[in-house]
Amino acid sequence: KLRGRVTTRFEIHGPLKNLAAEGEGTWESGGVAGLALEDVAGSWSYGDGQLAFRVSKGKAFGTPLEGTVDLDFRRDLRLGLRLRGEGLDPKAWKGYFSWLEGVEGPLRSVSLDLKGPVERLEGPVTVQAPRVTLWGEELTDLRASARLRGNTPLSLRASGFWQEAPFDGKGEVDPR
């Protein structure tokens, strides 16, 4: 589902039965596939049932980001998110990513490359945070990577400091 007002310049080309379009523009505020977006600028293309956004700047849930958002309408809606952001507030995102439950404090950098049906996205996510609280425990110099696997437990690897002691671990976390 797309919502919001977009200002764009575009070109349409191809035969009438198989039109394609591309353009560039801005999106003041709105959303795509449940992501709340604001101040987005970039380019887009549509063809063969696929819509691709290339975001050069913008915010999702208040987090500055850049990257790509791909929507495939040919079957059940499929989403591709390749985003990099800074200063992510987990509270703003946990309605979209339930596995952020229990995480408090800004994440300095976040990178994700997720694909699949909107309700079962899969792919890698990496985060870094100088100071974050995880289920009530304060961690510093956190570096974590996870592999989301739809609705199944995600694999997680993390390192940093807990109560000034270094830690390095891996395991699985159930996102439900």
Side-chain angles (χ1 to χ4, degrees):
K1 181 176 179 182
L2 299 172
R3 66 176 171 77
R5 181 177 174 187
V6 175
T7 303
T8 186
R9 291 185 357 224
F10 62 93
E11 291 183 15
I12 297 175
H13 48 83
L16 286 177
K17 290 185 178 184
N18 194 19
L19 287 176
E22 57 189 59
E24 55 186 46
T26 59
W27 199 343
E28 210 171 292
S29 68
V32 58
L35 287 172
L37 303 173
E38 60 185 276
D39 301 324
V40 175
S43 61
W44 61 272
S45 62
Y46 177 81
D48 193 29
Q50 298 176 57
L51 179 60
F53 296 98
R54 305 294 175 249
V55 180
S56 56
K57 75 172 189 106
K59 292 180 181 179
F61 298 115
T63 303
L65 56 80
E66 61 181 24
T68 63
V69 179
D70 298 313
L71 296 163
D72 187 340
F73 300 101
R74 293 175 295 180
R75 300 172 272 178
D76 291 336
L77 177 64
R78 297 181 66 78
L79 175 65
L81 290 173
R82 283 175 299 285
L83 301 173
R84 292 167 305 288
E86 296 181 358
L88 183 142
D89 178 2
K91 288 180 187 176
W93 284 81
K94 64 181 152 188
Y96 198 78
F97 293 123
S98 61
W99 45 270
L100 283 171
E101 188 69 40
V103 180
E104 295 180 25
L107 304 178
R108 178 184 2 195
S109 66
V110 177
S111 173
L112 54 88
D113 186 358
L114 304 177
K115 296 176 185 161
V118 174
E119 62 281 349
R120 292 186 314 277
L121 293 173
E122 299 186 4
V125 176
T126 60
V127 299
Q128 293 181 359
R131 183 175 307 274
V132 67
T133 302
L134 187 61
W135 293 293
E137 298 294 329
E138 186 174 287
L139 306 175
T140 57
D141 197 24
L142 176 68
R143 297 179 187 283
S145 60
R147 175 156 294 278
L148 275 64
R149 299 181 300 216
N151 292 329
T152 64
L154 58 92
S155 59
L156 176 68
R157 178 158 189 98
S159 64
F161 291 87
W162 174 63
Q163 297 186 355
E164 299 183 16
F167 74 88
D168 187 5
K170 64 181 178 176
E172 290 191 342
V173 176
D174 192 338
R176 291 170 265 149

